[in-house]
Amino acid sequence: VSLQDYLLQNVAPPQATVGEIAIMGNTGGDTTLFELANEALVHSKMEALKKLYDVVLIEAPPLLHMSKSKEWVSVADKVVAV
């Protein structure tokens, strides 16, 4: 399941039993999060993921060069910069 499918096609997120990890990839491309789907939909879908999983980790490009990561910050509870 890709993030794009989850956001746009009502595809269920991957299931994980206790002790397992579920991974959701993306299909690539140069589309930002809010170009992909409107902000209200993204917030709603992320809230659903937060209820389903213990932790949701998102890898994003550097904050300095692209606005893509800045959009993720707006839907995150916490941000860890590495």
Side-chain angles (χ1 to χ4, degrees):
V1 174
S2 72
L3 175 66
Q4 289 85 340
D5 292 340
Y6 175 67
L7 290 175
L8 300 175
Q9 297 180 14
N10 274 338
V11 174
Q15 300 295 313
T17 60
V18 175
E20 290 185 340
I21 296 174
I23 297 174
M24 186 182 304
N26 71 44
T27 57
D30 198 28
T31 305
T32 68
L33 182 63
F34 295 144
E35 288 175 341
L36 185 62
N38 69 58
E39 191 170 351
L41 177 65
V42 172
H43 279 279
S44 170
K45 293 285 193 160
M46 288 304 296
E47 286 301 317
L49 290 177
K50 291 176 191 178
K51 290 177 184 172
L52 182 62
Y53 301 115
D54 295 329
V55 176
V56 177
L57 298 174
I58 299 164
E59 180 185 9
L63 287 166
L64 295 175
H65 303 291
M66 305 183 84
S67 63
K68 291 179 184 182
S69 297
K70 294 174 185 167
E71 292 179 357
W72 279 109
V73 169
S74 72
V75 297
D77 290 335
K78 295 181 177 134
V79 175
V80 177
V82 179

